[in-house]
Amino acid sequence: MIRCLAIDDEPLALEQLKKYISMVPFLELSGACNDAFEAMSIIAHEKIDVIFVDINMPDLSGMDFVRSLIDAPLVVFTTAYSKYAVDAYKVDAVDYLLKPFSFEDFNRAVCKVMKQIEIRNIPTTEKLSSDSIFVKSDYKILKIEIMDIEYIESMSEYLKIFVTGDKKPIITLLSMRKIESYLPDDTFMRIHRSYIVNLNRIKEINKLRVILDKDTYLPIGDNYKDKFYEYVNRKFICK
């Protein structure tokens, strides 16, 4: 079962979401919330796989709510305004449903959620068995050896992939969440909203920065520093 939350301050819209969720046999509704604060409380105490959340809500918008989550579930935004589509992509939303949407639209979003969950559940050993990925860049499809990736930088809806031996990064239209799911998590770590680093490439850690070489300094974000320093402490040798 896929555990989900429905979040919308409009009662009719919330009821529609609940109805659609009930029509999908493998979706389990863990809560129907009128605002983001109620949803925060549920997420803090339960494991939630996906949230269906309205963007325009009073006090705390759906977009700001998702940005505030350190380890966010998968996200499907619902909204009456198409202008938020790019912002939804920036926070790695799985899909973006424009109100009023049909059950067919909702079901297509759920299928995307299922695919993402399947990718997340691939064992690390299976991820490691693939030593390369393919990405589209400048109308070409490029093969990248995973262990040659030094770090990845998010640039709006694009990614800059820095590879050993290449003077310029590879630029591709892709989300951080998507590429992260294809990288072995014992070698790559997201240390900032905008950066994923190959842990084997780190030469030095100075305050809240990792140093890869004399010209490359990457910031460690507040929401990611605990996980990063847990990794460092496991490998730290002292007297």
Side-chain angles (χ1 to χ4, degrees):
M1 297 294 288
I2 297 175
R3 293 174 293 276
C4 58
L5 284 184
I7 311 164
D8 202 308
D9 64 309
E10 299 176 5
L12 291 178
L14 189 60
E15 285 300 317
Q16 183 189 54
L17 267 178
K18 289 167 60 179
K19 178 182 177 182
Y20 284 171
I21 290 169
S22 71
M23 293 167 65
V24 181
F26 52 82
L27 288 183
E28 178 183 324
L29 183 62
S30 296
C33 308
N34 295 307
D35 57 54
F37 298 104
E38 185 181 355
M40 279 183 181
S41 178
I42 295 175
I43 290 174
H45 295 93
E46 297 183 35
K47 184 182 182 302
I48 302 299
D49 299 306
V50 59
I51 56 177
F52 298 92
V53 56
D54 184 30
I55 291 179
N56 287 303
M57 294 190 293
D59 299 324
L60 183 64
S61 73
M63 192 70 68
D64 289 336
F65 165 58
V66 170
R67 289 191 181 112
S68 73
L69 298 173
I70 295 174
D71 188 15
L74 297 176
V75 177
V76 175
F77 282 118
T78 64
T79 181
Y81 303 94
S82 59
K83 63 181 180 180
Y84 295 109
V86 172
D87 289 333
Y89 189 90
K90 289 180 181 178
V91 295
D92 299 331
V94 176
D95 209 347
Y96 180 91
L97 294 174
L98 195 60
K99 298 178 181 178
F101 52 87
S102 66
F103 176 71
E104 287 73 22
D105 295 328
F106 177 82
N107 197 47
R108 277 193 293 270
V110 171
C111 289
K112 293 180 182 180
V113 168
M114 282 189 64
K115 289 180 181 178
Q116 287 296 313
I117 289 176
E118 287 172 0
I119 290 171
R120 285 186 171 191
N121 289 338
I122 297 174
T124 300
T125 52
E126 189 173 338
K127 288 184 184 180
L128 286 170
S129 67
S130 177
D131 55 6
S132 61
I133 57 175
F134 290 87
V135 299
K136 188 175 182 180
S137 180
D138 291 334
Y139 305 103
K140 296 178 291 185
I141 297 177
L142 303 178
K143 180 182 179 181
I144 303 174
E145 299 297 328
I146 287 178
M147 291 309 167
D148 286 342
I149 298 174
E150 296 182 351
Y151 69 99
I152 299 167
E153 180 182 358
S154 174
M155 184 182 64
S156 187
E157 63 263 38
Y158 290 85
L159 296 182
K160 295 165 70 175
I161 304 174
F162 293 81
V163 178
T164 300
D166 291 350
K167 293 182 179 180
K168 294 182 179 181
I170 295 169
I171 298 177
T172 183
L173 180 63
L174 201 62
S175 72
M176 290 286 269
R177 186 187 295 277
K178 185 72 172 180
I179 199 166
E180 195 173 11
S181 68
Y182 282 90
L183 300 174
D185 51 20
D186 62 342
T187 307
F188 290 86
M189 183 179 293
R190 193 165 182 177
I191 60 169
H192 187 277
R193 179 174 292 278
S194 300
Y195 292 98
I196 295 172
V197 67
N198 184 335
L199 297 167
N200 294 329
R201 304 288 178 161
I202 297 174
K203 297 293 188 294
E204 183 181 333
I205 302 165
N206 191 331
K207 297 181 181 178
L208 287 177
R209 297 186 302 176
V210 297
I211 300 171
L212 305 190
D213 55 49
K214 64 179 182 178
D215 298 316
T216 309
Y217 298 75
L218 306 181
I220 302 170
D222 287 342
N223 290 339
Y224 301 87
K225 64 182 180 181
D226 289 346
K227 182 180 178 181
F228 176 72
Y229 281 106
E230 282 177 12
Y231 161 80
V232 172
N233 289 335
R234 288 198 302 270
K235 295 180 175 291
F236 189 76
I237 300 175
C238 61
K239 185 174 179 180

